[in-house]
Amino acid sequence: MKTILSISFFLLAALNTLAQTQTIRGTLYDAASKSPLVGATITIPGSSPFLGTVTDADGRFRLTNVPVGRIRVKITSVGYEDLLLNEVVLNAGKEVVLDLPLTESVTNLNEVKVAYNRSEDRLATNNENVTVSGRPFNAAETARYAGSFGDPSRMAANFAGVSGANDSRNDIVVRGNSPASLLWRLDGVNIPNPNHFGALGTSGGPVSMLNNNLLAKSDFLTSAFPSEYANAVGSVFDVKLRRGNDEKHEFLTQVGFNGVEVGAEGPLSQKANSQGRRASYLVNYRYSVFALLQNIGFKIAGVPKYQDFTFKADIPVGQRGNLSMWTLGGRSQISFLGKDVDTEKPDAYGDENTNTRVKYFTGIGAISYEHRFTDRTYGKLTVSGSRTTPTFLGDTVIYRNGKEIAQEIANAESEFTQNKLSVNAFLSHKISAKDKISGGVIVDMIQYDLQNQQLYPVAKSLRDATGETSLLQIYSQWKHRFNNRMTLNTGLNFLRLQLNGSTAIEPRAGLSYQLSPTSSLNAGYGLHSQMQPMLTYFYQTRQPNGTYALTNKNLDFTRSHHAVVGYERLIGGNLRLKLEAYHQWIFNAPVEQTSSYYSLLTEGASFAPIDKGNLVNKGTGRNYGVEMTLERFFTNNYYFLLTTSLFESKYKGSDGIERNTPFNNRYVVNLLTGREFRLGRNNVFSINWKLTTAGGRFITPINLEQSAAQGQPVNEYDRAFSSRQTPYFRTDLKIGYKINQARMTHEIAFDLQNLTNAQNVLQQAYNPRTNRIGTAYQQGFLPVPFYRLTF
C-alpha cells in the first residue's frame, strides 16, 4: 500500500513538472457588418518557438500547444486597426475561444496610420456607439478582485463613480443615482432584476443569479449612453453570455459564497456545417451552500435558500445565420423570525416584534436569430419572455412576560406577479469605413397582478390591480468617423408607455477626438427617461368616503439630462489615466402633492415596496462630480487600479428645499492591486488586495422623545437627510492557488472580507422595548473559502 501511494505521489509530481499546453481558437469579423475576416494574422508575442496563424475563409483560426498561463495575443489584418489582448488566461482544464471584432481603418494604405483606442480590447466597450462613461469588463475581473464574489455588481463598485449601497446587498449607486435607476440587459434583452431576494422596482439583492463562469466580455455604462438603451436615467449593465465550446465537452464544479454549482458545455453535434461551425450548448446549476448544509442535518437559523439555472444554445443556420436560445431562472426564500433576533443589538433585517417571510422567483428566456444579409448589412430578431413573482408574509409577535411568545398576528401580505413578452428587432448597415447606421424597435407587453394588503392593526388594501400595458421603444443611431482622429456618435430614441400615454423623445450625441496615438478628448450628452415602478402606479390611496383611488397612475417618466467631458491617456502601453467630469439634471421626479421632503429619487435600495400616494412629477435633482481612474493592466504578473470620485447628489421635494440624497457620500476612493507568482511550470499563487473608503451617507434623525411617547420610531422629516453617518472603511484580501494538471485545473482561494473588522454603519433603529436608538453595523470580518475544478 505504501508503495502504491509513493508511486501515485511521484506521478502527480511528475505531471506538475511537465509543461501543460492548451488551444486558443476563435473567429474574427468586421465590427460594423459582422462579415468574417479572411487572412488576418494571429500571433503570440515573445513566444518561443514562435506561435502564429492566419484566419481561413470563414474567419476562423486555431493556435495549438500554447503554454498555460497569462499570454498576450496580437491580431492584425490589412485595412483594419490592430488588436492587442494583454491578459488572455489559459488553464489546462479549458480551451480559450475568442470571437473578436476588428474595426476598419479610415486611413488609406499610403497614409500614416494612427492607433485607434477602440481596437484595444481591454479599453473598448462592445458597443462601438459608446463615447463616454463606458467601461468593459470580463469574467476574469469579476473573479479576480477581492470582495467581488464573482458578482458583476460588486465588481463594478470598484469603478470610478460607483459605490455599494451596503455590504449585504449588491445594489450599486452610480454617480449619486438611486440603484433603481439602473437598466439590466442580457444578450440584447432588457430583463428584470437578476438577483436573488430581489423585489419589483429594484435592481439588486444579496446574491446574483448571473454566473461569471458563463459571461463573455460585457459593458458597464454610467452616463450619456447610446440611444438603444432606454427606460433608465442612471446606468446600464449590458451583459453578454458566451458561447459554449463547439468542439469538445468541458465541465466545471465550484463551491463558494454564491453556492455549490456544476456546469457543462460542448458541441450539440459533432457534425459541422460548410464553414466548420457547430451547434454548442452551455449549462449551469447552482444551489445555496447553507441550504445544502441544512438539508443534510445541520441546524442553522435564518438560512437563505436559493437556486438558479442558466442554459444557452447556439446553432448555426446556413452560411450567414445563427440561432441562439437561452434561459435564466432563480428561486430564493428566507424567514426572519422575531424569536431569533438578538435583543441586545438592532438587526439589519428584522426585529423581535416581527416575523418576516419572503420569496422571490424570476424566470427569463429568449430566442434570437441573427442574419448577415450582405457583407455590409446584418440584422437580429429576438423574442423573449420573463416572469417575476415576489411574495411577502408578515406577523406581529406579542410576548408574554417579555420573553415567551403569546401570539403571532398576521399583519401584512403581498403577492406580485409581472409577466413580460418582448420583441426586439435590430438592423445595422455599414455605408463605408466612415459611416455606419443602425436602428431598432423594442416592444414590451406587460401583464401584472399586484395584490398587497395590510391586515393589522387596521385592515386596508394597498394594491389590488390586474391588467396589461406596453412600453414601446424606437431608436436610430449614426456613427461617423471624420478620420482616424475624430468620431461622432449620434442617436435618437422614442419611448411611449401605453398605461397612461407618457411619451418621450431623447436625443443622444458623443464626440471623440484623438489628440495623439495615446490620448483622446471625449464629450457626450443625452436626454434619458424612465417609467416608474409598477408598484408605484398602482398604490391605492384611501379616500374620505372609504373608497380607494389610484392617485399615481398618471405619473409621467422621470427625466434627466446627462453631460460629460473626459480625457483619456495610455501611458507606456500598460497604464491608463482617465478623467471625467459630469453634470446630471433630473426633472419630473415624483414628489408628494402637498408640501413635503419626499421624493422617489431617495428610494430603490431596500426590499420593501414604496407606499406613497398622491405623487406628482414636480421634483428635481442634480448629480455632479469629477472622477479619476489610474489603471495598470495585468502584465508582468501584477496589476493595480485606483479610482477616485468627488461628487454631490441633491434633490428637491415638493417643499422646494434642496437636500442631500441618501446616496450622497461626497467621495469614494478604491485601491486594488494583485500579483501572481508562478510556482514551477504550471501552478500559480495569487494575492489580491482591496481598500475602499467613502464619506458617510446622510440619514434622517430619529426623535427619541416622541418615539418613546408613541412607542414607535418617529423621524424628524423636517430635517430629512441632514445627519451624516461616520465614514466608510473596508479592506479585503484574497489569496488563491491554481494547479494545472493534464486536462484539468484546480483553483483554491480564501476571500477575507473586511479584514480589519471595521464597524461601518448600516442603519439606526428605535427599539421600543429598550427605549433607545441602536446602530446596526454592516458585515464584519468574514472569511469565504472557494474551490473550482475545470476539466
Side-chain angles (χ1 to χ4, degrees), residues 383-575:
V383 178
S384 63
S386 66
R387 180 182 180 91
T388 302
T389 306
T391 61
F392 167 86
L393 293 173
D395 300 329
T396 295
V397 182
I398 300 175
Y399 292 89
R400 183 184 298 113
N401 301 323
K403 294 182 179 181
E404 182 183 349
I405 295 178
Q407 192 176 8
E408 295 178 336
I409 305 172
N411 60 28
E413 64 180 9
S414 66
E415 182 171 354
F416 304 134
T417 300
Q418 182 169 307
N419 301 320
K420 185 172 71 169
L421 177 65
S422 300
V423 178
N424 184 337
F426 173 80
L427 185 67
S428 175
H429 177 66
K430 176 182 175 182
I431 300 173
S432 67
K434 288 188 174 184
D435 292 285
K436 174 190 172 183
I437 56 174
S438 60
V441 178
I442 301 175
V443 182
D444 294 334
M445 292 161 281
I446 304 167
Q447 290 183 332
Y448 52 86
D449 185 1
L450 312 174
Q451 306 298 325
N452 184 196
Q453 293 81 34
Q454 177 180 299
L455 305 175
Y456 176 84
V458 178
K460 62 179 179 179
S461 175
L462 302 179
R463 291 171 184 84
D464 182 11
T466 303
E468 57 188 35
T469 187
S470 64
L471 182 68
L472 170 68
Q473 178 192 353
I474 304 173
Y475 64 93
S476 62
Q477 301 174 132
W478 172 45
K479 177 177 182 177
H480 177 69
R481 299 176 64 188
F482 297 94
N483 49 48
N484 264 28
R485 289 184 180 273
M486 183 178 291
T487 302
L488 174 68
N489 285 306
T490 62
L492 190 66
N493 179 69
F494 171 79
L495 200 62
R496 186 179 191 276
L497 177 63
Q498 184 267 335
L499 179 70
N500 55 25
S502 297
T503 59
I505 297 176
E506 307 169 348
R508 315 282 174 87
L511 183 66
S512 176
Y513 182 73
Q514 202 85 12
L515 296 171
S516 71
T518 57
S519 62
S520 65
L521 283 174
N522 311 290
Y525 164 79
L527 176 58
H528 305 265
S529 307
Q530 184 172 2
M531 64 181 283
Q532 312 307 330
M534 294 297 290
L535 297 181
T536 300
Y537 289 119
F538 292 102
Y539 177 73
Q540 298 184 141
T541 303
R542 193 163 190 169
Q543 305 300 297
N545 61 3
T547 62
Y548 292 96
L550 299 177
T551 57
N552 296 337
K553 190 174 181 180
N554 291 321
L555 282 173
D556 201 352
F557 297 123
T558 298
R559 310 197 71 188
S560 173
H561 294 282
H562 291 198
V564 186
V565 292
Y567 171 76
E568 194 165 345
R569 182 170 185 178
L570 193 60
I571 305 169
N574 295 318
L575 185 65

Side-chain angles (χ1 to χ4, degrees), residues 525 527 559-563 583-587 621-623:
Y525 164 79
L527 176 58
R559 310 197 71 188
S560 173
H561 294 282
H562 291 198
H583 202 125
Q584 179 185 8
W585 298 267
I586 304 172
F587 60 101
R622 58 191 182 116
N623 300 311

Side-chain angles (χ1 to χ4, degrees), residues 205-354:
V207 181
S208 176
M209 296 180 197
L210 295 171
N211 192 311
N212 69 310
N213 291 312
L214 312 180
L215 299 185
K217 179 191 168 190
S218 304
D219 293 342
F220 179 61
L221 314 177
T222 59
S223 191
F225 25 89
S227 61
E228 67 182 87
Y229 305 107
N231 198 27
V233 296
S235 53
V236 176
F237 257 119
D238 191 354
V239 181
K240 306 290 185 184
L241 293 172
R242 64 181 178 85
R243 295 187 180 192
N245 193 320
D246 65 354
E247 293 189 5
K248 61 183 292 189
H249 294 280
E250 296 176 330
F251 305 94
L252 169 147
T253 182
Q254 177 175 305
V255 182
F257 171 82
N258 292 326
V260 179
E261 64 183 83
V262 291
E265 61 182 288
L268 287 171
S269 170
Q270 293 298 330
K271 184 180 179 180
N273 67 3
S274 59
Q275 292 180 304
R277 299 162 61 201
R278 296 177 178 85
S280 66
Y281 74 91
L282 192 66
V283 62
N284 187 280
Y285 174 76
R286 183 166 52 185
Y287 191 79
S288 164
V289 172
F290 295 106
L292 183 62
L293 292 174
Q294 188 183 62
N295 290 341
I296 61 177
F298 288 88
K299 294 182 178 179
I300 310 172
V303 172
K305 299 179 179 179
Y306 55 87
Q307 56 186 316
D308 53 63
F309 174 81
T310 307
F311 173 81
K312 184 183 182 186
D314 287 282
I315 304 170
V317 179
Q319 294 185 348
R320 293 177 175 265
N322 189 82
L323 184 68
S324 178
M325 297 173 286
W326 58 265
T327 184
L328 169 67
R331 292 184 180 274
S332 52
Q333 66 181 74
I334 193 168
S335 298
F336 299 102
L337 304 181
K339 65 182 180 63
D340 296 329
V341 173
D342 185 349
T343 58
E344 297 302 315
K345 59 182 181 181
D347 188 85
Y349 297 116
D351 64 66
E352 60 190 286
N353 303 303
T354 302

